[in-house]
């Protein structure tokens, strides 16, 4: 199916275009409020916390504050991709698992991406605020011109002096108020064409500040080196797990079954009853070994994933969960097998975390493709549990992030205390 033909924002659809313009204006207004309040708050907290590092207090507070800054930046990366298709890949250096506050503080302060984030906060509270507010202002400001033309001008002037300025139009009477109304109509017409691009300008500014700039290639090489190492380590660990499961499970049962059959052969003439008992035991052992082998194969690559694709594989996974899970799938065809496999096991890990740790009563999974030509697979897992999940908190999300990083994928987590928890994953699939 053609992605653009069913996209309500496609320019060929007049109603969809109007909704896109209104949506862009509303998003710009919300973004301007968040940009101003969030950026100022996080920048002040960061400066104070870093200033307190020599006194020792900042050693404890700085990792928490900078983690909040990264979460705020990652949220902006997420909405940039969702709202305007602007991808801003993160380039944070990983911190060692179990690092103490001292190592975390200086590890984060030694990361160039941290200082890009702090510089971005300054830009976000100034130019970012303006570029986010412009789409909303362009959409709302014409209302004032229409109100002046309708008679509001009388509240500001008696008709003999300039009592109000609307843009560059001095309003002093009904005639000039009508000019203000015409200017408002022109601005409204301009907003129809300019509001979505202006919102995109905001995210392009964000990308310009948060991107690695001239060191982007070196940073890219570093990230690829780390993800390759993670992929090799993961593959080695997976092979060790398969070997261990075979040795401790199916292999042990098959050896025991062979010994039982040897005993049966010896007892067949002497003690037929005992031989029949051992044959029944061998049959049970063979069934258990077959079940373990099937589970092992399912853990390597589920047959339903190979045969029916990611959507049906996730539905089958949801049916085995003890928590009510609703799965929504909107995929145009199938992605490459490695991408589907990575997405499946990432979803499996996130669902396992939700079942084990969230206390949720319901889980929602949404899979769909976004971007030009559907080149980006977006997966959202939401639960109504207690919240408080975070990457690196021992919940397995760090492993999911590493798995996705092998494919240039990103992971974002929104999990305020008290819930709900929303985990969003994006993987290039073109």
């Amino acid at each position: 199916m053609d992605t653009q033909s069913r996209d309500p924002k496609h320019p060929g659809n007049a109603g969809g275009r109007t909704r896109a313009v209104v949506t862009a204006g509303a998003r710009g207004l919300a973004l301007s409020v968040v940009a101003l309040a969030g950026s100022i708050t996080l920048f002040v907290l960061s400066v104070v916390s870093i200033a307190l590092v020599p006194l020792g207090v900042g050693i404890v507070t700085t990792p928490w504050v900078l983690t909040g800054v990264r979460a705020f930046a990652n949220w902006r990366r997420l909405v940039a991709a969702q709202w305007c298709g602007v991808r801003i890949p993160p380039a944070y250096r990983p911190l060692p698992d179990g690092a103490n506050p001292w190592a975390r503080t200086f590890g984060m302060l030694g990361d160039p991406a941290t200082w890009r984030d702090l510089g971005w906060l300054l830009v976000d509270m100034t130019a970012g605020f303006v570029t986010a507010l412009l789409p909303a202002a362009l959409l709302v400001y014409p209302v004032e011109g229409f109100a002046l033309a309708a008679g509001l001008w009388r509240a500001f002037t008696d008709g003999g002096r300039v009592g109000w300025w609307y843009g560059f139009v001095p309003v002093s009477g009904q005639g000039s108020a009508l000019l203000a109304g015409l200017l408002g109509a022109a601005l409204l017409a301009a907003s129809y064409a300019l509001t979505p691009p202006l919102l995109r300008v905001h995210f392009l500014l964000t990308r310009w500040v948060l991107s690695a700039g001239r060191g982007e290639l070196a940073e890219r090489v570093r990230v690829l080196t780390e993800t390759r190492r993670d992929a090799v380590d993961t593959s080695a660990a997976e092979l060790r797990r398969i070997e261990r499961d075979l040795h401790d499970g199916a292999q042990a049962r098959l050896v025991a079954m062979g010994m039982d059959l040897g005993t049966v052969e010896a007892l067949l003439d002497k003690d037929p009853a005992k031989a029949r008992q051992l044959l029944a035991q061998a049959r049970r052992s063979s069934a258990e070994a077959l079940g373990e082998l099937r589970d092992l194969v399912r853990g390597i690559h589920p047959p339903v994933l190979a045969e029916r694709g990611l959507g049906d594989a996730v539905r089958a996974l949801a049916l085995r969960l003890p928590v009510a899970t609703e799965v929504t799938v909107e995929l145009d065809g199938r992605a490459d097998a490695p991408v589907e496999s990575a997405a499946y096991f990432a979803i499996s890990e996130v669902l396992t975390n939700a079942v084990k740790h969230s206390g949720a009563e319901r889980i929602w999974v949404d899979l769909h493709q976004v971007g030009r030509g559907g080149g980006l697979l977006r997966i959202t897992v939401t639960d109504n549990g207690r919240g408080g999940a975070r990457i690196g908190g021992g919940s397995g999300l760090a492993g999911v992030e590493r798995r996705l990083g092998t494919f240039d994928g990103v992971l974002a987590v929104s999990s305020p205390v008290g819930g709900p928890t929303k985990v969003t994953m994006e993987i290039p699939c073109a």
Side-chain angles (χ1 to χ4, degrees):
M1 182 183 297
D2 184 6
T3 304
Q4 288 185 338
S5 65
R6 59 186 176 89
D7 187 355
K9 298 180 183 180
H10 189 260
N13 186 331
R17 178 64 182 184
T18 301
R19 286 192 296 273
V21 169
V22 174
T23 300
R27 287 172 171 174
L29 181 61
L31 205 56
S32 65
V33 175
V34 173
L36 193 62
S39 297
I40 291 176
T41 302
L42 288 171
F43 183 78
V44 171
L45 289 175
S46 300
V47 171
V48 172
S49 184
I50 294 172
L52 292 175
V53 167
L55 300 180
V57 178
I59 298 294
V60 178
T61 60
T62 298
W64 291 97
V65 174
L66 293 182
T67 298
V69 172
R70 292 185 176 188
F72 187 59
N74 283 333
W75 172 78
R76 192 65 61 85
R77 290 182 173 96
L78 182 62
V79 297
Q82 289 179 341
W83 292 356
C84 292
V86 177
R87 286 183 56 78
I88 312 171
Y92 299 114
R93 294 178 180 175
L95 296 171
D97 293 334
N100 57 43
W102 182 275
R104 287 180 61 84
T105 296
F106 288 97
M108 297 178 86
L109 290 178
D111 188 348
T114 297
W115 299 101
R116 285 197 298 271
D117 284 351
L118 295 179
W120 167 70
L121 291 177
L122 280 173
V123 174
D124 198 45
M125 70 178 73
T126 52
F129 168 74
V130 174
T131 54
L133 188 60
L134 272 176
L138 192 60
L139 197 62
V140 175
Y141 192 49
V143 176
E144 181 184 338
F146 299 149
L148 289 170
L152 184 63
W153 64 271
R154 293 185 178 88
F156 303 106
T157 180
D158 56 4
R161 58 182 176 82
V162 175
W164 192 259
W165 283 81
Y166 179 73
F168 55 82
V169 176
V171 179
S172 58
Q174 185 62 53
S176 55
L178 289 175
L179 289 177
L182 289 175
L183 178 58
L187 291 175
L188 187 62
S191 71
Y192 191 80
L194 296 179
T195 297
L198 283 175
L199 183 63
R200 183 178 174 83
V201 167
H202 169 83
F203 291 118
L204 291 175
L205 174 65
T206 301
R207 183 173 67 181
W208 178 71
V209 179
L210 287 179
S211 295
R214 289 180 298 178
E216 186 173 359
L217 181 59
E219 189 69 20
R220 177 67 173 157
V221 170
R222 183 190 64 79
V223 171
L224 288 175
T225 301
E226 290 176 356
T227 55
R228 184 185 64 181
R229 183 177 64 247
D230 290 338
V232 171
D233 292 344
T234 301
S235 298
E238 190 69 11
L239 288 174
R240 288 193 297 270
R241 181 189 70 82
I242 294 170
E243 181 182 8
R244 184 176 63 252
D245 290 348
L246 285 173
H247 182 273
D248 298 341
Q251 180 178 324
R253 294 189 185 280
L254 291 173
V255 170
M257 186 175 65
M259 296 175 64
D260 288 342
L261 291 175
T263 306
V264 167
E265 186 178 8
L267 294 176
L268 196 58
D269 296 328
K270 299 178 182 179
D271 192 349
K274 181 65 173 177
R276 283 194 296 271
Q277 182 181 352
L278 290 175
L279 280 173
Q281 181 176 332
R283 186 173 62 250
R284 289 193 298 271
S285 295
S286 67
E288 291 172 353
L290 182 60
E292 290 181 354
L293 286 173
R294 285 174 175 168
D295 291 339
L296 185 61
V297 170
R298 188 180 297 114
I300 298 171
H301 193 77
V304 67
L305 178 62
E307 296 169 3
R308 303 183 60 180
L310 181 60
D312 286 338
V314 174
R315 290 189 182 100
L317 180 64
L319 290 175
R320 298 198 297 267
L321 296 178
V323 178
T325 304
E326 179 180 336
V327 179
T328 302
V329 180
E330 295 181 7
L331 300 178
D332 301 326
R334 296 188 58 174
D336 292 338
V339 173
E340 285 192 335
S341 180
Y344 175 84
F345 286 108
I347 295 171
S348 177
E349 181 67 28
V350 173
L351 289 176
T352 300
N353 287 341
V355 171
K356 286 184 177 180
H357 306 298
S358 72
E361 298 177 351
R362 194 166 186 84
I363 301 174
W364 295 267
V365 183
D366 178 74
L367 296 86
H368 62 281
Q369 289 171 258
V370 296
R372 183 171 299 175
L376 197 65
L377 174 63
R378 180 175 297 152
I379 306 159
T380 304
V381 180
T382 308
D383 68 66
N384 61 354
R386 65 176 66 94
R390 63 184 180 88
I391 300 174
S395 61
L397 292 176
V400 174
E401 187 176 42
R402 287 194 297 270
R403 182 187 292 273
L404 299 181
T406 306
F407 298 87
D408 281 346
V410 295
L411 171 72
V413 179
S414 172
S415 183
V417 176
T421 295
K422 182 177 180 181
V423 178
T424 302
M425 298 167 278
E426 290 186 348
I427 313 175
C429 61

